[in-house]
Amino acid sequence: MHGLINRAIERFARDTYGGDVWIQATRRMDLGFTEVAAMLHYDDAVTTRLLQQLADLLDKPAPDLLEDIGTYLVSHPNVESLRRLLRFGGVTFEEFLLSLDDLPGRGRLAVPDLDLPRLELVPHTDQCYALTVFSPKPATLPFGRVVMGLLRAMADDYGALVVLDYKGDRGAAELIEIRLLEPAFAEGRHFDLGATPP
Amino acid sequence: MHAVVSGTGHILRCGATLRKIQGREDPVGQRFTEVFEIRRPRIGPSMAVLRAASGSRLHLRMRSPPQIDLTAVLIALPKDGGPLSGGALVDLSFGISVIDAVRDFALTGSDFAVTDPTIEMLYLFEAKSAAMEASRKLNLRLQGAMIAAEEQAFTDTLTGLKNRRAMDHVLTRLIDRGEDFALMSLDLDYFKAVNDSLGHAAGDHVLQQVARRIVGQMRGADTIARVGGDEFVVILAGHAEGPVLVDIAERVIGCLEAPIPFEGEECRVSASIGAVLSRDYAHPEMDQLLADADRALYTAKMQGRRRVALFDPVQDAEGVPPPATPHQQGPDAKAPDRR
């Protein structure tokens, strides 16, 4: 697994629950390090075990933990740069949704060896979409839950009112139903195209 | 961004983004060349000249601050007697100045045409900057780890022998366990001459060959360290007999004296050795042993180099300098009386 993914988990744990929780998780795993290098690769098992340790330590079901990570990645000021990169996807939330198919490609533009899940958005009826998340390696990490949290936070960011429904998985493919109730429900957060990235 | 220019050279219409970057004054109604300075090609401001540049790349600069540079192409419109007769259509883009322009004019995604890849370019710029920053942090960490590893290293990188740190560890361990051992302090003779006459590359080569030759004379259990430029320390575990030790030391000197070829030249060095035996001390201490070995080495040097001197704590206490045995050339040479 790419170090960026593990680094995301680390920053989520540190920023949300404090460094102690994170260090405790790495100690329990006997990792031999307490800080993930974002630009190195790690064994897939490290990611799986890290998530399991954190879920145990925080007494939180794994799917909830993953969704919280997705929300964190968009909403926490410490990872503002990622939110900015996602906002480049479109001027409105709808445009952003339609840009999701490009997400793995955009990821690779930035970091060529980063394997992100393939996303496939199919518009159904008016304002209703079905998003399929194909995780790169089955059984490693159910990215769909992370995407759920990420979409929820992005909707807030754009000021859109949405209802998300996790429809379950078929092997490595997870299905999310998105209903866009009100594209401009709230003001949303300002996105300054020319701001200096943090 | 675009502008429509009339046959008289005035801007008739322009896109919203161009209005935004022109600032307070509406560009519509102004002469095109009053709004833009044509930087390249160097052509005059007349409409006829501009129309002649139809289809080629133009480098423009806004005359109003912050005077950003733009890339443009102009298409001459036909002289058909209509309202645009003899005019031109100009397509403008920010080119490389786009990152500044987006900041200076607070441009948004809707300022760019759907097909315009500028937003993707901005994305790429930010994404790459973030990735570079992550890589830079990793490099800093790796550099720190490398320095730490070097500090903890036990190997002399030039010769592959142990270094001073490793020697300290070995000596401390032997003393702590109360084991008998011998210690030789070896200093090359005439090494400076090699360095001075043939250069540092030759010097390094000699040090490597010397290291190899010393290793060849020792047993696997012995520790050989390079502790300075041309200073070596050999620790021989279990050795307790002075004459045997002197024999070994002389053998080492003998094999170091064989010429060392380097790029067609022959480098010749020798060595002086000072030695101590741990069992000569009631309570051996590392610093004392090393200092006494160095004193014996000094004696060997003083007595003409290419010699072995064994340190004697009893004579030292009585103020008698240790005798140094001159090294004899050849295997048949009879060693002189040693102590």
Side-chain angles (χ1 to χ4, degrees):
Chain A
M1 190 68 75
H2 200 283
L4 272 174
I5 308 258
N6 292 336
R7 180 71 176 154
I9 299 170
E10 172 182 353
R11 296 193 69 165
F12 160 77
R14 284 184 186 270
D15 290 344
T16 313
Y17 299 101
D20 292 350
V21 168
W22 168 255
I23 287 167
Q24 211 180 329
T26 57
R27 292 256 163 82
R28 279 196 186 182
M29 285 173 61
D30 210 6
L31 273 184
F33 57 85
T34 56
E35 198 178 325
V36 172
M39 286 308 190
L40 293 181
H41 281 265
Y42 293 85
D43 197 276
D44 282 351
V46 171
T47 312
T48 317
R49 287 171 57 216
L50 263 177
L51 288 168
Q52 196 52 54
Q53 283 294 345
L54 284 174
D56 287 354
L57 277 169
L58 301 169
D59 198 18
K60 206 181 223 323
D64 292 3
L65 183 73
L66 291 170
E67 203 172 317
D68 286 355
I69 292 175
T71 307
Y72 161 84
L73 289 176
V74 175
S75 54
H76 200 282
N78 285 2
V79 282
E80 168 74 7
S81 53
L82 183 65
R83 176 228 166 211
R84 283 189 58 81
L85 292 180
L86 287 168
R87 282 290 296 251
F88 275 103
V91 178
T92 64
F93 183 66
E94 205 171 355
E95 264 186 52
F96 166 75
L97 283 180
L98 293 167
S99 79
L100 284 175
D101 288 15
D102 300 337
L103 194 76
R106 281 176 171 268
R108 266 196 303 278
L109 267 183
V111 182
D113 55 353
L114 178 62
D115 251 349
L116 288 177
R118 187 162 63 82
L119 302 175
E120 210 174 84
L121 188 85
V122 180
H124 278 320
T125 55
D126 197 27
Q127 309 292 55
C128 188
Y129 305 85
L131 179 70
T132 315
V133 182
F134 301 91
S135 288
K137 281 175 187 165
T140 305
L141 179 64
F143 270 101
R145 297 289 186 176
V146 183
V147 173
M148 279 276 286
L150 196 133
L151 287 180
R152 216 185 284 288
M154 281 307 281
D156 279 354
D157 212 87
Y158 279 103
L161 184 64
V162 295
V163 175
L164 300 173
D165 202 358
Y166 187 82
K167 293 292 201 185
D169 63 290
R170 293 187 310 264
E174 295 163 279
L175 191 69
I176 299 169
E177 189 188 82
I178 304 161
R179 270 180 295 152
L180 182 55
L181 300 182
E182 184 59 66
F185 176 73
E187 177 114 357
R189 276 169 73 195
H190 181 63
F191 176 59
D192 181 359
L193 200 56
T196 314
Chain B
M1 279 186 295
H2 76 279
V4 180
V5 184
S6 72
T8 58
H10 292 81
I11 297 174
L12 291 176
R13 289 199 298 273
C14 73
T17 307
L18 192 56
R19 264 206 183 86
K20 208 171 185 174
I21 66 171
Q22 167 64 6
R24 276 172 300 172
E25 261 184 290
D26 190 340
V28 171
Q30 298 189 57
R31 289 185 74 90
F32 182 78
T33 49
E34 284 168 1
V35 178
F36 302 102
E37 175 195 354
I38 299 163
R39 306 272 294 168
R40 262 182 293 146
R42 298 276 180 195
I43 53 174
S46 83
M47 202 53 202
V49 174
L50 274 179
R51 283 169 56 85
S54 180
S56 58
R57 174 192 282 258
L58 303 175
H59 291 266
L60 308 179
R61 179 170 288 176
M62 299 283 292
R63 291 194 188 272
S64 62
Q67 297 191 315
I68 59 157
D69 290 333
L70 297 166
T71 304
V73 63
L74 173 147
I75 305 296
L77 297 171
K79 290 189 170 173
D80 55 4
L84 299 178
S85 177
L89 184 65
V90 189
D91 186 19
L92 301 128
S93 102
F94 288 109
I96 204 72
S97 67
V98 68
I99 288 161
D100 295 332
V102 165
R103 189 190 56 230
D104 294 345
F105 305 111
L107 301 181
T108 67
S110 39
D111 280 314
F112 297 93
V114 178
T115 49
D116 188 336
T118 301
I119 298 294
E120 275 72 19
M121 195 175 122
L122 291 173
Y123 160 81
L124 197 57
F125 172 70
E126 274 199 40
K128 282 292 178 195
S129 303
M132 283 273 275
E133 179 58 17
S135 292
R136 198 185 62 84
K137 281 185 182 147
L138 176 61
N139 281 342
L140 283 176
R141 263 174 69 180
L142 292 180
Q143 193 184 18
M146 194 179 79
I147 291 167
E150 276 172 0
E151 280 169 1
Q152 289 162 18
F154 284 123
T155 305
D156 169 50
T157 46
L158 177 66
T159 60
L161 297 178
K162 297 279 191 285
N163 61 14
R164 185 177 283 276
R165 265 175 61 84
M167 178 201 74
D168 286 355
H169 274 267
V170 171
L171 277 177
T172 307
R173 204 177 56 221
L174 286 170
I175 292 170
D176 284 351
R177 290 183 185 167
E179 288 180 29
D180 271 349
F181 62 93
L183 188 150
M184 296 198 294
S185 184
L186 183 152
D187 193 279
L188 291 188
D189 296 324
Y190 320 117
F191 176 70
K192 191 173 177 299
V194 173
N195 242 345
D196 289 350
S197 61
L198 297 174
H200 285 290
D204 286 352
H205 178 72
V206 166
L207 289 172
Q208 286 164 342
Q209 292 308 309
V210 163
R212 191 172 296 176
R213 289 180 187 184
I214 300 175
V215 170
Q217 293 297 320
M218 298 298 158
R219 301 162 307 172
D222 300 333
T223 303
I224 305 141
R226 176 164 167 255
V227 297
D230 60 347
E231 298 162 42
F232 299 80
V233 165
V234 183
I235 302 164
L236 302 98
H239 266 281
E241 298 300 322
V244 178
L245 185 59
V246 171
D247 251 9
I248 295 170
E250 288 187 336
R251 226 168 53 218
V252 169
I253 294 173
C255 82
L256 295 187
E257 288 186 338
I260 298 168
F262 177 78
E263 291 180 357
E265 303 275 349
E266 283 197 340
C267 308
R268 286 178 183 274
V269 293
S270 183
S272 301
I273 294 178
V276 293
L277 289 169
S278 67
R279 63 150 192 202
D280 285 344
Y281 298 79
H283 302 287
E285 280 172 29
M286 183 168 75
D287 290 345
Q288 186 66 50
L289 291 174
L290 287 168
D292 289 347
D294 280 346
R295 285 168 70 188
L297 171 65
Y298 180 72
T299 305
K301 288 261 185 199
M302 289 306 288
Q303 293 179 352
R305 304 186 186 180
R306 303 172 55 206
R307 274 154 216 267
V308 181
L310 185 63
F311 185 77
D312 185 333
V314 180
Q315 287 191 356
D316 183 64
E318 293 164 0
V320 181
T325 54
H327 170 68
Q328 301 292 307
Q329 288 280 2
D332 298 330
K334 179 123 177 71
D337 195 24
R338 294 187 206 104
R339 307 222 285 144

